[in-house]
Amino acid sequence: MNVEFNQDQKLMQQSAREFAEKFVKPVAKKLDDTQEFPVELIQRAAELGFMGVAIPEEYGGAGMDSLSYTIMMEEIARYCGSTSVILSVNNSLVCGPLLKYGTEEQKQKWLTPLAKGEKLGCYGLTEPNAGSDCAGTKTNAVDKGDHWLLNGAKIFITNGSHADTALVFANTDPGKGNKGISCFIVDMKSPGFSVKPMHGKMGIRASGLSELVFEDVKVPKENLLGELHKGFKIAMTTLDGGRIGIAAQAIGLARGAFEEALQYSKERVQFGQAISNFQAIQFMLSDMGMKIDAARLLTQKAAWMKDMGQNYNQQASAAKLYASEIATWVTNRAIQIHGGYGYTNEYNVERYFRDARVCEIYEGTSEIQRLVVAANLLGR
Amino acid sequence: MKILVFADQKKGKVKKSSFEVLSEAVKLSTESGAEVHAALLGSGVKEQAGVLGHYGAKTVHVVDRPELATYINTPFVTAAKAVIDAVKPRLVLFPTSEGIKDYIPALVQKLDGAGITDCCKIRWTGNGVEIERPLMAAKARSTMESSHSLILLTCRAGSFETKEPNPSLKAEIVEHSVSFPDLKQIFKEVLAANTGKISLDEADVVIAAGRGVRDAEGLKLLEELADVMGAALGSTRAVVESGLVPATLQIGQTGKVINPTLYIGCGVSGAVQHTAGMGNSKVIVAINKDSEAPIFNIADYGLVGDLFKVVPLLIEAVKELKKNA
Amino acid sequence: MKIYVCCKQVPDVAMTIQIKDGKFISEGMNYVLNAYDASCVEEALVLKEKYGAEVTLVLIGDEAGKEALRKGLAMGADNAFHISDPALNNLGSQAAAKVLQAFFKGRDFDFILTGKQAQDSDMGLAGGILSGLLNLPYVTNAVGLDVQDKMIVVKRQGDEGVEVLHMPMPSLITCSNDMNDPRIPSLKGIMASKKKPMEQVSLTDLGLSADEVLKESQKSSLKSFGLPPARKAGAKIEGDAQTLVATLMEKLTKEAKVL
Ligand SMILES: Cc1cc2nc3c(=O)[nH]c(=O)nc-3n(C[C@H](O)[C@H](O)[C@H](O)COP(=O)(O)OP(=O)(O)OC[C@H]3O[C@@H](n4cnc5c(N)ncnc54)[C@H](O)[C@@H]3O)c2cc1C
Ligand SMILES: Cc1cc2nc3c(=O)[nH]c(=O)nc-3n(C[C@H](O)[C@H](O)[C@H](O)COP(=O)(O)OP(=O)(O)OC[C@H]3O[C@@H](n4cnc5c(N)ncnc54)[C@H](O)[C@@H]3O)c2cc1C
């Protein structure tokens, strides 16, 4: 594994950074305040190729590697959690499985416009009663001969408010738990498909979080993704890839907060000197920087293993687990360094903290990540 | 040995930056035993040549020709080269302006000289010069040396001390005749010319407008402040980009370098590219509502507040002061 | 049309600049395409889109410099020349112009664009000196560019306003970043740039000896780096508008005595 980026990756980093500084940074606070989905910003991101980074060019993607994808995620999350999660869902949770499990026709029809960013995707796995344990999936699809009939509801669906295409996991063999789940590509304009925006979130408030409701939604037969009843495996491998993206997102958020805290500590004067002169502050800063570096290396290793075609299940979980936990810790320390000011929304650090917090929950809670790592360690 | 200073002028009037550079040349001449000459290029400028003598030039070389009425580089290169060929100086100093920055490279090339721009310190070493100049958006400084047979330096505004003029000092005025080549380029016009108020690089007081002024109305407020203070209006690039003011008002790395006695930045954040152009001001005042704005790190007086509330009161206060004076 | 853009790779001056014992610390710095050159590339691409043109980049620099060329190619330039030689490290303006003169000898073009200055040295001489060496008319600090009736219409930011000049072809124009807002290379552009021609050029290819370059370099030499004298933060005045103005007037008249 090479610790220096190659030229493609360096150029990707420059483009992502320029985009983030020029377009994301100025609106990040407003997005959090208004909770409005950043339609124009996502269009711009699409023009630059950020919606399908690691998807081959023949399917409308940029044809770059997973490491490049983590670079982009970090640069964007450095300023805005909402924007970065929107990109991550489209890239890893929707384009990812379509590439891996889709037929050639499905790739042409569904993947290409999503990777180009002409269409937006969302990922519908979680249900009110099936979170960490998707065996409890109640949404069901019934074989009606020439189509599937979909009924049920999904909850906590990022991009739901603005997406065109949903990957929906539904029960196709009731009573079989995980072994009876299948994955469907669903056109969100289908009759019977409705979306209810969810408000009142702590962080990443502009990510179009929604409830999806299916009432007799007809899904064409050819829209089954992968094999029948093998949806659980698709969900799990997809999350492996997704977790690398969330790890990078957590690192970006931690870095954004860290940079602000570092700067603030040099400017804030108490007891006649900059607070960065106090060892207590210095220790916080050094731990923050160190943890961010460690998380980044762990994440890059997982991405590198994915690019090498190795089994990266354990590393992706470890990276996501570590990065999300240090992101909560680092953003929390950033508030501490800012003192009372950090507790107000005059400064960005409280937003970084709120945005970072969810990284420990979605795409598998920290507890679930520990289970995954342990299962690998114990060979189960 | 001779040191030749090219004076800069606007509409026939010698700019103050010229006196600054001339004063520095006089100082260098005492170290090096050199004779100080000055040169004045333009159209209808002859009358002004004498004033350069008051600042210590022994001889003033004048090229006063209609070809030099509007600025284009080729005739200025020709005229400057003719003077240098005749005077044969070892060291040539220039103030900085967009015109001089434009024609100096060709002059350096045609004379096979050594060229260094934007010098803020100059020392005669005995067989050449050692200079200091800012670089990397004025975040660093470099020291350079040259002992070339002909050294051409441009000087950064506000870096040197201007001596008091002595009207009893008289210079010999020498006019040079120059034959100008045909121009390959065609000059068309000057757009968005300065409004003729106080020019930015000459002003003692500068009011700088930043993005915080928001719109034409905010700008009007600053114009009013500039008027009552007898100040020139300048701006950041953000304000130029928004189309509120012409680019001639831009202060900074890609704009003008200014050194007024008093700079008042209103709604200016203090990006390095901006401060690169005003860091030499004697007193810096900043009015910004963000108490963490970087400009407060260099401001002598940093007012944390809303410019829309502060500036109207400031206008009244200055009016009051003028009334009592 | 055939447009050449001369480029330089420079440290990202937005980062913290570190200097130790008179030396510039390059470790940890990001290196980027000079912002003024990026504006040249952008403008050349706009002209290409409008009138059709071939846009060729030229860069003098070490191996890492290729990244800056690739950025230009990723933006949309057609091909690039990478002039590289151990004798060409850390060239000053005058030496760089000499090398470029050799490069352009015998080449056909309609115009050459260079940045008005490099963000690292801020010297602003190379373009104009190159035009002198090539005996081309030139203009610096362009903020607008167009082509009309086989003439290049240049808007230049001058002392009194924007000067409009018509330049013949070929000419050399140095560009300000106030000219445009350079496009961000798309990922597609970045991948495509790998397949675009980038030709390697050595000093020998240029028919130039290291001594000839050295002669230019020796006209002036860089001795050391330092930090500018820091300006200290003065008083921060807080309170309501009345207090602010009253305090300021007091300070300006009594303390600083500038009013
Ligand atoms: C902002 C946001 C965006 C989201 N976006 C999406 C999306 O786009 N698509 C999608 O499908 N889902 C999405 N989710 C859902 C998310 O993936 C789930 O919230 C998550 O998987 C946890 O499920 P749950 O909320 O039902 O919690 P539960 O599963 O009920 O967990 C509650 C607690 O119990 C713990 N726990 C559960 N099981 C175990 C166990 N076996 N051992 C130990 N501890 C356990 C958990 O770790 C947690 O601490 C999103 C969630 C949020 C908050
Ligand atoms: C190669 C290069 C060259 C450049 N050259 C130059 C140059 O020559 N000159 C230049 O200026 N810039 C230049 N820039 C741009 C520079 O980096 C900054 O973007 C620019 O200076 C910012 O301008 P600003 O301070 O007006 O705007 P901002 O940075 O947006 O700051 C606006 C400020 O106004 C304050 N504010 C807002 N409302 C109010 C209010 N009601 N009351 C009080 N304060 C308020 C805000 O707190 C903020 O601090 C260059 C950039 C590059 C990359």
Side-chain angles (χ1 to χ4, degrees):
Chain A
M1 179 175 144
N2 198 340
V3 291
E4 206 196 333
F5 293 157
N6 65 30
Q7 243 173 36
D8 295 351
Q9 290 154 350
K10 282 188 193 161
L11 289 167
M12 145 62 105
Q13 187 172 38
Q14 276 186 36
S15 282
R17 185 170 293 167
E18 273 182 54
F19 169 77
E21 283 174 354
K22 208 154 138 191
F23 299 112
V24 181
K25 183 182 177 191
V27 300
K29 180 166 169 31
K30 197 177 120 221
L31 292 179
D32 181 58
D33 286 344
T34 61
Q35 307 191 37
E36 271 167 31
F37 190 90
V39 177
E40 263 176 60
L41 192 63
I42 297 304
Q43 261 160 17
R44 276 188 195 280
E47 282 159 24
L48 291 175
F50 293 168
M51 301 308 274
V53 176
I55 303 302
E57 291 176 41
E58 52 180 317
Y59 300 119
M64 300 186 106
D65 53 15
S66 304
L67 190 52
S68 304
Y69 171 56
T70 65
I71 294 168
M72 178 203 73
M73 282 298 293
E74 178 180 333
E75 293 298 329
I76 289 168
R78 178 185 175 203
Y79 293 112
C80 179
S82 293
T83 309
S84 61
V85 75
I86 293 167
L87 300 185
S88 97
V89 166
N90 196 76
N91 271 280
S92 36
L93 298 191
V94 184
C95 290
L98 283 171
L99 178 70
K100 190 160 175 171
Y101 297 101
T103 62
E104 185 55 30
E105 290 76 49
Q106 286 172 336
K107 287 181 197 170
Q108 294 296 346
K109 181 165 180 197
W110 302 100
L111 174 58
T112 304
L114 285 163
K116 281 187 181 163
E118 294 164 357
K119 294 227 158 118
L120 183 71
C122 68
Y123 181 79
L125 175 64
T126 306
E127 295 189 3
N129 295 314
S132 300
D133 178 15
C134 43
T137 296
K138 291 274 181 318
T139 298
N140 63 80
V142 179
D143 190 345
K144 291 285 175 185
D146 63 340
H147 63 266
W148 293 92
L149 200 63
L150 194 63
N151 276 290
K154 296 285 171 183
I155 193 171
F156 292 130
I157 306 306
T158 301
N159 290 358
S161 62
H162 285 72
D164 307 281
T165 307
L167 291 188
V168 177
F169 293 86
N171 210 318
T172 40
D173 196 358
K176 287 271 174 64
N178 285 339
K179 297 206 172 69
I181 292 173
S182 303
C183 180
F184 296 94
I185 310 166
V186 186
D187 181 344
M188 293 178 65
K189 290 197 186 64
S190 308
F193 196 132
S194 57
V195 175
K196 291 188 198 152
M198 294 173 72
H199 290 299
K201 257 187 306 168
M202 175 182 181
I204 57 160
R205 285 150 52 97
S207 58
L209 196 76
S210 304
E211 241 182 284
L212 309 182
V213 181
F214 320 103
E215 287 165 321
D216 286 339
V217 176
K218 282 187 185 174
V219 180
K221 268 286 160 81
E222 69 267 21
N223 284 16
L224 174 71
L225 183 67
E227 287 175 53
L228 189 63
H229 310 323
K230 294 277 170 66
F232 180 70
K233 186 166 172 247
I234 297 179
M236 293 304 116
T237 51
T238 297
L239 290 176
D240 283 348
R243 282 162 189 165
I244 295 178
I246 299 304
Q249 176 186 37
I251 294 161
L253 289 165
R255 175 173 147 215
F258 171 62
E259 287 169 349
E260 298 216 358
L262 185 63
Q263 187 60 29
Y264 186 83
S265 72
K266 291 191 250 180
E267 286 161 7
R268 175 70 175 174
V269 174
Q270 287 295 288
F271 298 97
Q273 51 190 310
I275 59 168
S276 61
N277 288 344
F278 303 131
Q279 204 176 45
I281 301 287
Q282 291 174 2
F283 281 11
M284 274 196 253
L285 289 170
S286 58
D287 286 358
M288 290 159 88
M290 172 187 76
K291 283 175 202 250
I292 292 170
D293 265 358
R296 190 184 287 118
L297 285 169
L298 212 50
T299 305
Q300 287 174 353
K301 182 176 176 205
W304 177 80
M305 288 175 76
K306 179 166 192 240
D307 289 334
M308 292 294 125
Q310 300 176 12
N311 177 357
Y312 63 100
N313 170 271
Q314 178 185 344
Q315 278 69 25
S317 278
K320 192 261 189 190
L321 169 61
Y322 185 71
S324 61
E325 291 192 348
I326 68 108
T328 301
W329 188 87
V330 168
T331 52
N332 195 1
R333 290 299 96 190
I335 294 174
Q336 196 65 20
I337 289 172
H338 278 73
Y341 294 99
Y343 196 65
T344 71
N345 63 6
E346 287 288 300
Y347 285 84
N348 291 321
V349 284
E350 63 86 30
R351 172 165 54 83
Y352 280 114
F353 177 67
R354 289 186 288 107
D355 282 358
R357 187 61 183 80
V358 76
C359 297
E360 287 189 64
I361 296 171
Y362 57 25
E363 302 205 17
T365 61
S366 289
E367 292 69 32
I368 296 301
Q369 308 307 334
R370 286 193 164 80
L371 291 179
V372 174
V373 174
N376 277 281
L377 293 175
L378 299 168
R380 288 185 189 156
Chain B
M1 184 187 126
K2 290 172 188 162
I3 302 178
L4 174 62
V5 173
F6 276 82
D8 195 18
Q9 52 86 23
K10 180 182 176 184
K11 299 203 175 93
K13 200 168 168 293
V14 178
K15 287 185 165 184
K16 75 171 191 185
S17 54
S18 309
F19 304 134
E20 183 186 333
V21 176
L22 195 47
S23 300
E24 179 64 12
V26 169
K27 199 178 127 220
L28 287 169
S29 71
T30 55
E31 293 170 22
S32 59
E35 203 176 288
V36 177
H37 291 232
L40 188 59
L41 317 175
S43 169
V45 295
K46 206 162 58 186
E47 307 308 311
Q48 290 292 318
V51 69
L52 293 166
H54 303 165
Y55 286 88
K58 290 275 175 304
T59 313
V60 181
H61 305 269
V62 177
V63 183
D64 194 334
R65 288 282 296 269
E67 286 89 343
L68 302 173
T70 41
Y71 177 76
I72 311 180
N73 54 22
T74 313
F76 273 84
V77 172
T78 307
K81 180 167 184 300
V83 173
I84 294 171
D85 284 341
V87 178
K88 298 196 172 49
R90 175 74 196 282
L91 181 60
V92 189
L93 303 183
F94 297 81
T96 300
S97 71
E98 284 308 334
I100 289 164
K101 282 200 293 202
D102 186 49
Y103 77 71
I104 192 132
L107 197 57
V108 169
Q109 186 272 323
K110 297 217 161 15
L111 293 163
D112 199 26
I116 305 177
T117 58
D118 219 19
C119 303
C120 61
K121 261 191 193 157
I122 306 171
R123 200 171 64 82
W124 182 255
T125 57
N127 68 343
V129 293
E130 184 184 271
I131 66 94
E132 281 184 31
R133 60 187 297 277
L135 71 174
M136 301 193 200
K139 283 169 104 175
R141 268 201 186 185
S142 66
T143 302
M144 293 183 74
E145 228 176 43
S146 177
S147 47
H148 196 64
S149 53
L150 174 62
I151 303 166
L152 299 98
L153 308 176
T154 70
C155 301
R156 186 174 178 82
S159 305
F160 306 103
E161 203 181 324
T162 308
K163 291 269 156 39
E164 283 301 313
N166 179 351
S168 65
L169 291 176
K170 296 271 186 300
E172 183 195 350
I173 314 278
V174 180
E175 269 205 78
H176 293 254
S177 64
V178 175
S179 64
F180 290 100
D182 289 340
L183 289 180
K184 291 192 199 157
Q185 65 270 57
I186 309 165
F187 175 81
K188 287 287 176 183
E189 57 182 326
V190 179
L191 303 172
N194 272 354
T195 44
K197 289 187 182 169
I198 305 151
S199 87
L200 186 54
D201 46 356
E202 296 277 278
D204 273 333
V205 182
V206 170
I207 310 294
R211 203 197 304 273
V213 303
R214 286 208 293 256
D215 50 21
E217 206 161 315
L219 189 69
K220 222 161 89 201
L221 200 57
L222 296 201
E223 278 168 343
E224 201 184 329
L225 178 61
D227 278 347
V228 302
M229 296 192 80
L233 187 72
S235 81
T236 65
R237 178 159 155 217
V239 179
V240 173
E241 267 178 348
S242 73
L244 281 176
V245 300
T248 36
L249 297 198
Q250 181 168 319
I251 300 165
Q253 197 193 355
T254 33
K256 290 200 163 78
V257 174
I258 57 164
N259 62 315
T261 314
L262 176 59
Y263 163 102
I264 305 182
C266 305
V268 173
S269 65
V272 280
Q273 290 90 355
H274 181 72
T275 58
M278 45 63 78
N280 266 346
S281 308
K282 187 157 167 258
V283 174
I284 297 176
V285 173
I287 304 173
N288 196 309
K289 65 178 184 186
D290 172 8
S291 69
E292 300 303 318
I295 192 154
F296 287 129
N297 298 334
I298 60 161
D300 298 288
Y301 305 112
L303 275 55
V304 184
D306 184 339
L307 74 92
F308 291 97
K309 295 200 181 112
V310 174
V311 174
L313 294 176
L314 189 56
I315 292 171
E316 290 315 311
V318 174
K319 275 188 189 158
E320 192 66 17
L321 185 79
K322 296 257 148 122
K323 207 164 70 195
N324 298 337
Chain C
M1 275 189 304
K2 173 99 189 129
I3 308 172
Y4 277 92
V5 180
C6 302
C7 306
K8 185 175 184 184
Q9 191 183 40
V10 295
D12 180 357
V13 298
M15 298 175 75
T16 305
I17 307 284
Q18 284 187 48
I19 287 156
K20 215 173 162 187
D21 303 328
K23 291 203 170 55
F24 171 67
I25 308 295
S26 59
E27 282 83 43
M29 291 299 283
N30 291 336
Y31 280 77
V32 294
L33 175 63
N34 184 30
Y36 304 101
D37 302 344
S39 283
C40 295
V41 176
E42 175 63 33
E43 205 62 18
L45 294 175
V46 169
L47 292 174
K48 176 186 160 112
E49 283 152 15
K50 248 166 125 177
Y51 306 113
E54 187 187 21
V55 179
T56 302
L57 312 177
V58 190
L59 176 139
I60 308 171
D62 59 10
E63 194 57 26
K66 282 185 179 161
E67 191 186 313
L69 281 177
R70 272 201 59 198
K71 165 142 186 191
L73 293 172
M75 287 171 74
D78 297 292
N79 48 45
F81 289 91
H82 180 226
I83 305 174
S84 181
D85 197 287
L88 299 182
N89 287 341
N90 301 320
L91 286 192
S93 311
Q94 297 190 261
K98 185 85 194 168
V99 174
L100 289 170
Q101 175 197 20
F103 173 82
F104 282 110
K105 208 172 112 193
R107 285 180 197 275
D108 273 335
F109 51 83
D110 293 295
F111 49 95
I112 300 175
L113 301 180
T114 77
K116 64 180 256 184
Q117 66 202 53
Q119 284 178 293
D120 54 353
S121 73
D122 285 332
M123 190 67 91
L125 289 174
I129 292 180
L130 173 62
S131 70
L133 291 169
L134 295 172
N135 205 14
L136 293 176
Y138 79 102
V139 52
T140 64
N141 204 20
V143 292
L145 209 58
D146 202 354
V147 175
Q148 268 171 26
D149 305 326
K150 302 226 149 94
M151 294 290 270
I152 312 161
V153 181
V154 180
K155 288 187 178 149
R156 145 172 215 281
Q157 186 57 52
D159 291 300
E160 307 305 327
V162 173
E163 299 160 3
V164 183
L165 292 147
H166 287 198
M167 308 290 289
M169 292 192 202
S171 283
L172 184 146
I173 296 130
T174 84
C175 301
S176 162
N177 65 327
D178 292 334
M179 186 176 236
N180 53 39
D181 200 1
R183 63 195 70 185
I184 301 173
S186 70
L187 304 193
K188 210 179 182 152
I190 293 173
M191 296 310 271
S193 70
K194 274 208 283 220
K195 295 175 201 122
K196 291 184 177 174
M198 189 189 296
E199 202 174 304
Q200 208 61 38
V201 182
S202 71
L203 213 51
T204 333
D205 296 336
L206 295 178
L208 212 56
S209 72
D211 279 350
E212 284 169 282
V213 180
L214 193 66
K215 188 173 151 261
E216 288 302 320
S217 296
Q218 281 170 341
K219 284 181 173 167
S220 61
S221 56
L222 207 156
K223 287 284 146 209
S224 65
F225 288 100
L227 290 171
R231 219 188 148 106
K232 274 214 299 286
K236 219 185 255 183
I237 306 164
E238 295 181 71
D240 61 18
Q242 271 87 1
T243 319
L244 295 183
V245 171
T247 319
L248 179 67
M249 291 305 286
E250 171 88 12
K251 298 272 188 195
L252 290 182
T253 49
K254 305 250 163 69
E255 191 176 88
K257 299 199 171 73
V258 289
L259 278 187

